[in-house]
Every structure is written in structure tokens, then in C-alpha cells.
């Protein structure tokens, strides 16, 4: 497995990976309508992370196996389609960095892909001066984050314009 920084040239391939991951790994946690709405209004690549150099891809045998990143910006979740305003920088001395947009291709699930990307993100965030991280986990992602030391803070729902909503779990982890 190789972990590297994502490039803008990969956006279409990454968005295709996101859709495969969500449709393949969210069944049983979310209804088909919730999945469709989440893909339309929420899930996707946040190109700001790629511009910032904080979005990673995992490759196995030359194939995109997963993606995910961290952010020094205020946005906690969502792709480009869900952002309407500027995304200011966080103060690493006072605020938690964000773990963002983790997706694993179903063919590579449970092979350490998410764990490897998360380790790269945590190391980079720590090097950038962040002492803690927070995230909004989907229900299928919650067990991974919990196993890697993230503590649940609150369960909430993201509401979509079509009337659907998506349960998520806000979680955090100290880095030092």
C-alpha cells in the first residue's frame, strides 16, 4: 500500500471512489434514500483539502483503494457541493484540527486502508501544531475511529433539502 497526497487531476476518480464506497459500505446503516441524498448534498471531494496538500490517497497494486484527509480549516464535513462560504483557518494552539472525507473502496475494506490514511493525517496535523482532532463519523465509520482512539461526543443528524437526514457521530482525539 502506498499513501500519497491527492492531486486535482484525480478529482473525477476520487468522486467515483466516494460513490462506490458510500453505496458499497453504507448499506445496512442507512436507507437507499439517505445514501442518495448524502451523495447529492454532502459526500464528495472538498478540493480545498487538495489545494492545502492535506488530502491523501491510498493505492494498492496501482488502484485507488481509499482517500481521506485532515484540515486546518473550520469545515467539519462535506464536499464542494455543500460549501457556500469561505473556509477560514483554525488556530492550532486553541482549536482542534479536522479529520475529513474518509472513503474506502469496498474491494479494499478491512485491509488497513483507513487506518493507514488516518495515521498519515494524524502525524501531519501534529507536525502542523494541532494538539487534538475532531471529526464527524458516519455510522459505518464510527467503529474504526473508536478503535483508533476517537471518543464520541454527540450523535446528531444532518438534514438535507429533500427532507432526508443522515445520522452522524461527532468524535475527538487528543494527539498529545
Amino acid at each position: 500500500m502506498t499513501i500519497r497526497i491527492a492531486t486535482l487531476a484525480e478529482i473525477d476518480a476520487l468522486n467515483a471512489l466516494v460513490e462506490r464506497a458510500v453505496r458499497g459500505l453504507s448499506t445496512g446503516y442507512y436507507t437507499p434514500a439517505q445514501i442518495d441524498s448524502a451523495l447529492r448534498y454532502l459526500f464528495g471531494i472538498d478540493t480545498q483539502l487538495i489545494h492545502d496538500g492535506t488530502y491523501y490517497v491510498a493505492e494498492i497494486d496501482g488502484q485507488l483503494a481509499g482517500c481521506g484527509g485532515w484540515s486546518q480549516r473550520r469545515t467539519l464535513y462535506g464536499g464542494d457541493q455543500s460549501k457556500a462560504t469561505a473556509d477560514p483557518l483554525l488556530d492550532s494552539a486553541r482549536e482542534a484540527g479536522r479529520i475529513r472525507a474518509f472513503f474506502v473502496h469496498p474491494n479494499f475494506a478491512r485491509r488497513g486502508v483507513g487506518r493507514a490514511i488516518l495515521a498519515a493525517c494524524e502525524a501531519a496535523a501534529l507536525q502542523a501544531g494541532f494538539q487534538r482532532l475532531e471529526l464527524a463519523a458516519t455510522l459505518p465509520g464510527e467503529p474504526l475511529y473508536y478503535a483508533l482512539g476517537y471518543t464520541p461526543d454527540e450523535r446528531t443528524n444532518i438534514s438535507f433539502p429533500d427532507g432526508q437526514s443522515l445520522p452522524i457521530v461527532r468524535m475527538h482525539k487528543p494527539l498529545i
Side-chain angles (χ1 to χ4, degrees):
M1 180 181 334
T2 302
I3 306 295
R4 63 172 176 76
I5 299 291
T7 68
L8 290 172
E10 297 175 295
I11 290 173
D12 289 342
L14 291 170
N15 277 319
L17 176 124
V18 168
E19 182 163 354
R20 297 261 333 247
V22 172
R23 292 197 185 283
L25 301 175
S26 294
T27 302
Y29 293 93
Y30 300 123
T31 68
Q34 287 174 309
I35 291 169
D36 288 342
S37 293
L39 286 165
R40 180 174 182 194
Y41 298 110
L42 181 68
F43 294 141
I45 302 304
D46 180 346
T47 53
Q48 183 65 60
L49 300 177
I50 296 174
H51 287 290
D52 289 346
T54 61
Y55 202 64
Y56 300 85
V57 296
E59 290 181 322
I60 297 177
D61 297 328
Q63 296 181 46
L64 288 178
C67 55
W70 73 278
S71 182
Q72 56 196 347
R73 297 183 181 274
R74 295 216 180 280
T75 297
L76 184 59
Y77 54 80
D80 285 345
Q81 77 275 33
S82 66
K83 292 172 76 173
T85 61
D87 199 359
L89 292 171
L90 297 163
D91 178 352
S92 63
R94 295 182 307 107
E95 297 175 289
R98 313 293 199 236
I99 293 296
R100 300 275 318 279
F102 268 65
F103 301 97
V104 175
H105 191 290
N107 293 346
F108 298 101
R110 291 160 197 70
R111 290 178 52 185
V113 173
R115 180 181 299 262
I117 297 170
L118 190 59
C121 291
E122 289 176 351
L126 186 60
Q127 185 174 10
F130 286 91
Q131 298 178 26
R132 58 194 166 92
L133 292 169
E134 66 180 359
L135 58 85
T138 59
L139 299 182
E142 181 184 7
L144 169 70
Y145 295 121
Y146 185 78
L148 296 177
Y150 287 79
T151 303
D153 292 321
E154 71 173 324
R155 295 182 182 280
T156 188
N157 288 292
I158 299 170
S159 297
F160 300 126
D162 63 2
Q164 292 293 321
S165 67
L166 192 77
I168 61 165
V169 183
R170 287 186 70 130
M171 303 179 83
H172 76 279
K173 177 181 180 178
L175 295 177
I176 55 173

